[in-house]
Amino acid sequence: MTTSDNRSRSLGWLALLTGTVAATTFGVVAILVNIFERKQEARTPFVRVVEVDEVSTDPKPWGLNFPQQYEDYLKTVDDEYTDYGGNHALPPSKLEEYPWLKRLFAGYAFSIEYREARGHAHMLADQEVTRRVTEVQQAGACLHCHASIIPTYRRIGMEELGQEVTAAKLAESFNQEAVMAGFKAVSQRTYEEVHAELEKTPDGVVEAAAGDPHLGNAHPVSCIDCHDPKTMALRVTRPGFLIGIDKLAKSDDPVPHLPSIAKWRKAGSKGTYDPNTDATRQELRSFVCGQCHVEYYCANKMTLTFPWSHGLKVEDLEAEWDSTTFPSEEADETGEPFYDYVHKETGTKVYKAQHPEFELWSQGIHARAGVSCADCHMPYEKVGATKVSSHWVRSPMANINKACQTCHKVSEQEIKDRVDLIQHRTSDLIDRAAAAVTEMFDAIIAAREAGASDEQLKPIRDLQRKAMWRLDFIASENSKGFHASQESARILAESIDYSRQAIAGCYQLESEPAAEPAESDAS
Amino acid sequence: MRFGKVAMTFFVCLGLLAGVGTFTFGYGKGASYLSNNPETCINCHVMQDHMDSWQQSSHHHVAVCNDCHLPHDFVGKWVTKADNGFFHSLAFTMGGYKDPIQIKPRNQRVTQSTCISCHKDFVHPLLPATAGHDMLSCVHCHADVGHAGR
C-alpha cells in the first residue's frame, strides 16, 4: 500500500462524508424552514388595507382585504360541468337536449333560448347576450338579481324621495327606505333603461368628478350583495326577498327549518320580520342565496314578487298566483287574473316556475337538519391554518370531501352513488311527466279542433296549468330532485296525474255533443 | 494529535449540522413527542379542531389523545407512535391530505381496541367469540364520545 493510495482513499472517504453531511444539513434546514412556515400559517392575520363602503359593487377592493375569498370568487368563471347542472365553457342548450321544453314554453321567451347555467361571475354578461333579452322586450326587474344593483336602487330612491344625492351620501349607509323606493320605481321600466341606470352609479372604483353620483360600472353579484361593508357580517340586501320573507313569517306555514321565524311569531309577530335583525347567522347562510334562487314574478305588469304569503310548498306558491290579479288601469276595476304567459299551442294562460331552489330545499331533509346552502355549496376550507368558507360557489359534487364528508363518514364513491340514484330517479320521473304533458297538449289541440267550447275546456285548462306548473317547478329547479327528493317525486307524480286527468277530460268531451266552435282563447 | 485543514473544515461543518439539528429539534418541540400531553398534537395547527372537539366531549376528563389513539401495550404504543409520527409529519410537510381529515383503517382498529380495553367488562357479551373476529365499531353509533359535534 503506497502513501498515495492511502491518500486517495482517505480523500474518497472525506468526499463521501462531506456529501452526506451536506445532504443532511440540507434536509434539516428544509424541515426547519417548513416548520417555520407552518407556524406562520397558524397566525392568521387579517389586514384591512382599503376601505369599502355602500357603493363598492366592484369586488376588486374587497379582494385586497380578503384575498382568499376573492380568489375563490374568481374561480366561478370556470366551474367544471356535472351530470346535472353545474357549469360549462359553452353551456349546452337545454332546448336541444330536451325538445319537450320547446313545447312547454311555446309562446314564451324561454322557447327561444334556454341553456345550462354557469358560475356567478358570468351572470350579468350571460344575461346581456341571451336571445331571451336581445329578441324580446324584458323588464328591468331581471337585474334585481343579475347585477349588483342595490346602490342604483338607493340612488334612484333618494332622488324619488327628494333626498340630496352625492357620491359620498350614496356610500354612507344602506338606507333601506331609499333602496325600497328605488326598487319600486324601476320595477316596471325596461331592461335597457335599468341597465343604463346601473352604469350611472359609482362602483367604489370609478370616481366621478365633483362627487357626482352618475358615473360608474355595472358588475354581476359581488361581495356587497351579501356582506355589510363595515362589519363584513352577512346581510340580506334584496328588496324582493325582504318583502317575501316577511310575507312568509306572517303566513301560517310551519317552517321548522327557520327557527327565528317561529321565535318572531311567538313574540307576537310585531311589525315586520326583518332577517337582518331577527335571523340567526346559520339562517343567513341560506337567506343570502334565497335572495335570488327562488320562484318569482319578474315581468313588467307589477312589482317583482316572491309568492310566499301562504308558505313555501309548490301548492302554497300556486295558491298565491291563483289569487293574484294584475293592477288595473281603472281604479274601480279588479285587474285580470295573474298569468305568466299564454301557452301558444293550446291558448291556455299558465304559470312559469323559475329555479325554486330555496323553496325546494326548504322541504328537504338537509334543511330540516339545520344544514344551510353555504354548508354544501361554500364549505369551509383550510388555507394554511385559516378556516374560510369557500367562495367558489359550485356543485357539492365537485367537492365531495369538504361538502359532504364533514358529516357523512362514508366513501366519496358511495356519496356520489347516492346522489346519482336520487338524480337519475328524478330525471326519469321528469321524462315521464314531460311525456304526459306533451300528450296532454295534443289531446287539448285535438279537442279544440273538434269544436270544444271555452266553457267545456275551462276545467281541462285548469288541470293543464297545474300539470305544467308542477313539471316546470322540478325541471327548472337546479338540483334534479336532490334538495328534497321525496317532495320532488310527489310534485312530479301530481303533474303526471293532472296531465292524465286533462287527457281523460278531453276524451270525455269527444263523447259529448259538440258545442259552439270556440272563438276566443280565454282560460 | 493533528488534523489537516480539510478535516478541520469538515468537523466545523459537522458541528454546524449538529447545531442546526439541535435547534430544529427544539424549535419543532421534538421532545414533546415523547410525552402524553395533548398539547403536543396541536403542534400542527391542522389538529386544532380535533383538540377543540375533544375538549367538548364526554371523555375529555378521562382520556387524552394517546389513550384512544395508541394501543395500551408498550410495543404497540411506541410502534404506532413512530408510524403515525412519520406519516403525520410527511402529510403535514407535503400537504395534499384530505380535509376534513380521515382516519386510516389501521388507526381505526387502534381506537376500537382502546374502547374495548377500558370498557370490556361492560361490553363483553357483545365481543366476538374468537379474537379478531368481526364485530361492530363502537364509534359507528357513539360518534361523539371522543370528539363532540364533529
Side-chain angles (χ1 to χ4, degrees):
Chain A
M1 199 111 133
T2 61
T3 41
S4 70
D5 268 358
N6 270 340
R7 215 183 155 77
S8 67
R9 191 178 299 171
S10 58
L11 264 177
W13 276 111
L14 204 61
L16 183 70
L17 278 170
T18 307
T20 313
V21 172
T24 317
T25 310
F26 181 93
V28 169
V29 172
I31 286 184
L32 174 62
V33 173
N34 184 276
I35 294 171
F36 174 75
E37 281 173 356
R38 293 285 178 271
K39 286 193 182 211
Q40 290 310 302
E41 275 175 4
R43 312 161 79 176
T44 50
F46 153 62
V47 188
R48 190 166 172 139
V49 290
V50 293
E51 286 300 319
V52 288
D53 54 38
E54 288 288 1
V55 293
S56 306
T57 52
D58 190 331
K60 274 200 193 73
W62 296 69
L64 296 171
N65 295 339
F66 297 95
Q68 186 53 46
Q69 285 87 341
Y70 183 56
E71 199 176 288
D72 278 347
Y73 164 83
L74 292 178
K75 286 181 189 160
T76 60
V77 297
D78 59 359
D79 291 356
E80 58 262 60
Y81 184 68
T82 61
D83 295 349
Y84 295 110
N87 207 337
H88 213 274
L90 236 183
S93 167
K94 287 194 185 187
L95 297 174
E96 280 159 35
E97 200 175 343
Y98 307 107
W100 56 267
L101 284 171
K102 276 195 184 152
R103 295 193 64 186
L104 188 77
F105 300 140
Y108 197 55
F110 270 90
S111 63
I112 305 172
E113 183 169 34
Y114 180 29
R115 295 182 174 279
E116 289 286 3
R118 293 203 291 172
H120 277 177
H122 294 287
M123 64 170 64
L124 185 57
D126 280 1
Q127 188 184 46
E128 286 161 355
V129 300
T130 177
R131 289 164 58 203
R132 292 203 300 278
V133 168
T134 57
E135 293 178 19
V136 179
Q137 181 57 63
Q138 293 293 355
C142 307
L143 289 158
H144 174 271
C145 277
H146 279 260
S148 197
I149 198 172
I150 299 298
T152 305
Y153 284 160
R154 185 181 310 119
R155 178 173 60 74
I156 292 166
M158 285 163 88
E159 283 162 8
E160 293 267 324
L161 296 168
Q163 299 171 358
E164 183 209 5
V165 192
T166 63
K169 276 259 184 286
L170 202 55
E172 210 167 76
S173 69
F174 186 69
N175 193 347
Q176 191 159 320
E177 187 198 10
V179 170
M180 282 289 176
F183 160 72
K184 291 199 170 92
V186 304
S187 212
Q188 281 153 287
R189 291 198 213 162
T190 67
Y191 182 84
E192 292 72 17
E193 278 178 75
V194 179
H195 199 289
E197 289 290 355
L198 270 179
E199 291 174 356
K200 284 192 232 160
T201 309
D203 66 354
V205 171
V206 178
E207 292 290 341
D212 179 19
H214 292 84
L215 176 71
N217 268 323
H219 295 277
V221 69
S222 73
C223 321
I224 198 170
D225 295 295
C226 307
H227 291 283
D228 182 321
K230 284 198 187 71
T231 62
M232 300 300 141
L234 280 177
R235 69 170 186 191
V236 173
T237 56
R238 290 293 178 282
F241 182 89
L242 291 166
I243 297 165
I245 200 80
D246 179 51
K247 283 200 301 194
L248 177 67
K250 286 170 180 158
S251 79
D252 55 6
D253 193 26
V255 289
H257 63 302
L258 303 175
S260 74
I261 289 185
K263 199 172 149 192
W264 180 81
R265 288 171 182 168
K266 219 173 178 165
S269 305
K270 290 182 195 73
T272 311
Y273 171 83
D274 178 2
N276 291 324
T277 52
D278 297 325
T280 64
R281 183 168 169 225
Q282 183 66 358
E283 286 170 327
L284 280 166
R285 285 163 55 82
S286 296
F287 283 178
V288 290
C289 310
Q291 299 184 93
C292 296
H293 287 259
V294 295
E295 152 66 6
Y296 50 75
Y297 171 79
C298 149
N300 53 5
K301 288 188 184 170
M302 59 183 198
T303 312
L304 174 71
T305 307
F306 291 16
W308 295 347
S309 58
H310 300 283
L312 291 171
K313 288 191 286 297
V314 65
E315 56 270 32
D316 297 334
L317 273 51
E318 185 179 44
E320 168 148 352
W321 295 140
D322 283 344
S323 60
T324 300
T325 51
F326 287 123
S328 164
E329 303 294 316
E330 314 297 323
D332 54 348
E333 282 180 30
T334 43
E336 60 170 338
F338 175 92
Y339 68 95
D340 274 310
Y341 64 108
V342 177
H343 184 245
K344 206 163 152 186
E345 294 186 7
T346 54
T348 307
K349 288 178 175 171
V350 293
Y351 305 150
K352 168 80 186 84
Q354 340 255 355
H355 49 70
E357 280 95 45
F358 182 78
E359 293 91 335
L360 191 65
W361 161 85
S362 293
Q363 311 309 318
I365 194 74
H366 283 93
R368 195 62 203 260
V371 179
S372 70
C373 307
D375 285 322
C376 309
H377 291 277
M378 306 175 67
Y380 284 112
E381 58 180 5
K382 281 202 187 73
V383 181
T386 314
K387 200 170 162 180
V388 291
S389 62
S390 168
H391 281 57
W392 186 3
V393 183
R394 56 182 170 152
S395 163
M397 289 298 95
N399 192 11
I400 292 174
N401 181 207
K402 292 187 179 73
C404 316
Q405 288 180 306
T406 302
C407 303
H408 294 283
K409 302 200 187 313
V410 290
S411 73
E412 288 196 25
Q413 191 54 52
E414 183 178 335
I415 290 168
K416 179 85 176 72
D417 290 345
R418 285 188 205 178
V419 174
D420 283 348
L421 184 68
I422 290 168
Q423 294 190 320
H424 289 161
R425 279 175 179 164
T426 309
S427 187
D428 289 348
L429 276 173
I430 288 175
D431 290 347
R432 213 170 256 267
V437 159
T438 45
E439 282 173 38
M440 170 179 68
F441 295 159
D442 294 337
I444 295 171
I445 292 164
R448 287 176 75 199
E449 280 170 354
S453 70
D454 281 338
E455 196 188 340
Q456 286 173 313
L457 281 172
K458 187 180 179 315
I460 293 172
R461 290 190 195 281
D462 290 344
L463 292 165
Q464 178 194 356
R465 182 167 43 250
K466 284 177 182 299
M468 288 171 76
W469 163 251
R470 280 160 181 74
L471 167 60
D472 197 22
F473 196 89
I474 299 302
S476 69
E477 204 273 344
N478 280 303
S479 75
K480 272 290 179 297
F482 183 81
H483 285 151
S485 52
Q486 197 182 16
E487 174 74 355
S488 300
R490 177 187 78 93
I491 292 168
L492 290 168
E494 286 189 6
S495 172
I496 296 166
D497 180 42
Y498 285 129
S499 291
R500 298 297 171 191
Q501 282 186 45
I503 293 170
C506 290
Y507 290 165
Q508 277 170 339
L509 287 184
E510 282 177 25
S511 56
E512 287 171 22
E516 293 294 302
E519 283 301 318
S520 75
D521 286 334
S523 61
Chain B
M1 196 162 161
R2 284 183 65 256
F3 294 106
K5 272 193 187 151
V6 179
M8 287 292 279
T9 316
F10 175 74
F11 287 129
V12 168
C13 291
L14 207 57
L16 275 176
L17 169 59
V20 172
T22 310
F23 174 80
T24 304
F25 186 80
Y27 183 69
K29 299 180 185 165
S32 68
Y33 291 97
L34 303 173
S35 78
N36 226 15
N37 185 353
E39 294 288 325
T40 303
C41 299
I42 50 165
N43 285 351
C44 298
H45 60 66
V46 70
M47 287 294 171
Q48 187 64 52
D49 283 355
H50 298 76
M51 176 75 156
D52 295 345
S53 55
W54 166 70
Q55 286 177 323
Q56 305 290 324
S57 78
S58 60
H59 276 54
H60 79 273
H61 59 295
V62 291
V64 294
C65 315
N66 287 351
D67 290 323
C68 300
H69 289 283
L70 293 179
H72 289 182
D73 63 289
F74 181 83
V75 176
K77 173 179 171 172
W78 288 96
V79 168
T80 306
K81 204 187 247 264
D83 172 74
N84 280 316
F86 176 76
F87 284 107
H88 284 195
S89 305
L90 188 70
F92 195 56
T93 304
M94 295 305 184
Y97 46 85
K98 291 262 188 194
D99 172 31
I101 303 172
Q102 292 175 5
I103 195 167
K104 285 193 287 203
R106 161 168 163 43
N107 288 321
Q108 221 161 0
R109 288 195 296 273
V110 170
T111 51
Q112 178 69 9
S113 78
T114 54
C115 295
I116 307 288
S117 170
C118 293
H119 295 283
K120 58 178 175 293
D121 287 350
F122 183 65
V123 299
H124 77 265
L126 313 177
L127 299 180
T130 45
H133 240 250
D134 190 25
M135 70 174 299
L136 295 173
S137 160
C138 304
V139 295
H140 182 85
C141 302
H142 302 279
D144 277 2
V145 292
H147 298 278
R150 277 190 59 74

